[in-house]
Amino acid sequence: CATSHNSYIVGDQLTGISSAAAYARQLLQGCRHLEIDCWDSKRGPVVTHGFTLVTVETFGAVAAAVARCAFVTSELPVILSLEMHCSLRQQHRIAELLHHHLGDALLSYDELCTCSDPLLISPHDLRRRVLVKTKVKLRQTRKPLLRGHRSSLGSSLGPLSRRTSLTVSVGVSKVLRSGQKSPAPAFESSEARA
């Protein structure tokens, strides 16, 4: 399998069981692109199929499974596609968990920006690396938060919004750069508000 979609669910997509072991199994079968549906819960970010009776798995358990199995069968990069439905606080917790479990395997936004042409990076150059992509939406503000941001529309993030380039959560990359908690950035999940 090259990519996954809701394949963390054991059973049906209405009443099934969310399982970190399903992610591990997919990586061990050679899957290189995993979708992770992230949702808020009282005990921290969880992975589940929203608005269904599917059980929840902690995001930490999923991150640990990815760290354990990502490069057992292949050194090719792994892409984690976060379908983000979490609050800012829990997005920060997700960033901390990714940093804790994946450490130096994560490709940070800063590293991506140092490449002469990020669109020409080969999978060979990214061996044993984990890339995180997600959609983000900035809160409307009076001042632009990033170059290229139009606060009246809240839609343009310059290179971050281009479908042809990797979209990395500003919050995730901020925490990954410092390795520590950082104050909440002024963005929200586009899917959580849609």
Side-chain angles (χ1 to χ4, degrees):
C1 124
T3 186
S4 77
H5 175 73
N6 292 344
S7 43
Y8 57 90
I9 302 172
V10 178
D12 66 78
Q13 293 191 27
L14 181 61
T15 61
I17 299 169
S18 294
S19 170
Y23 284 111
R25 182 175 55 253
Q26 289 175 35
L27 289 166
L28 294 173
Q29 291 173 345
C31 188
R32 302 285 85 195
H33 183 254
L34 302 174
E35 176 199 47
I36 304 175
D37 294 348
C38 306
W39 292 83
D40 285 345
S41 84
K42 291 181 181 178
R43 57 187 181 144
V46 294
V47 176
T48 190
H49 195 49
F51 307 110
T52 66
L53 301 174
V54 171
T55 64
V56 300
E57 179 68 270
T58 64
F59 187 86
V62 171
V66 170
R68 250 188 344 270
C69 300
F71 304 110
V72 173
T73 58
S74 173
E75 289 193 345
L76 290 173
V78 171
I79 300 170
L80 302 180
S81 179
L82 304 183
E83 186 176 305
M84 191 60 65
H85 301 277
C86 291
S87 64
L88 292 176
R89 173 174 278 159
Q90 292 200 19
Q91 287 181 48
H92 276 278
R93 182 66 185 138
I94 286 171
E96 292 168 350
L97 289 165
L98 288 170
H99 189 266
H100 172 76
H101 289 288
L102 300 171
D104 292 338
L106 283 168
L107 179 69
S108 73
Y109 183 72
D110 287 343
E111 288 177 277
L112 185 63
C113 289
T114 61
C115 299
S116 60
D117 190 345
L119 299 178
L120 296 178
I121 299 174
S122 75
H124 179 77
D125 296 333
L126 297 173
R127 284 176 314 197
R128 301 190 63 81
R129 300 304 299 270
V130 177
L131 293 76
V132 175
K133 71 178 186 111
T134 189
K135 292 181 183 179
V136 295
K137 180 180 178 184
L138 296 177
R139 289 184 186 160
Q140 291 190 4
T141 62
R142 292 185 186 145
K143 294 181 183 178
L145 299 172
L146 293 174
R147 186 178 58 202
H149 173 254
R150 291 187 301 267
S151 60
S152 62
L153 300 176
S155 62
S156 173
L157 290 175
L160 287 180
S161 64
R162 293 186 190 139
R163 289 181 182 250
T164 55
S165 66
L166 296 172
T167 55
V168 181
S169 166
V170 176
V172 171
S173 65
K174 198 177 217 184
V175 173
L176 297 180
R177 279 194 297 255
S178 67
Q180 300 174 354
K181 266 188 169 177
S182 61
F187 70 86
E188 297 174 355
S189 165
S190 60
E191 293 182 10
R193 296 291 177 213

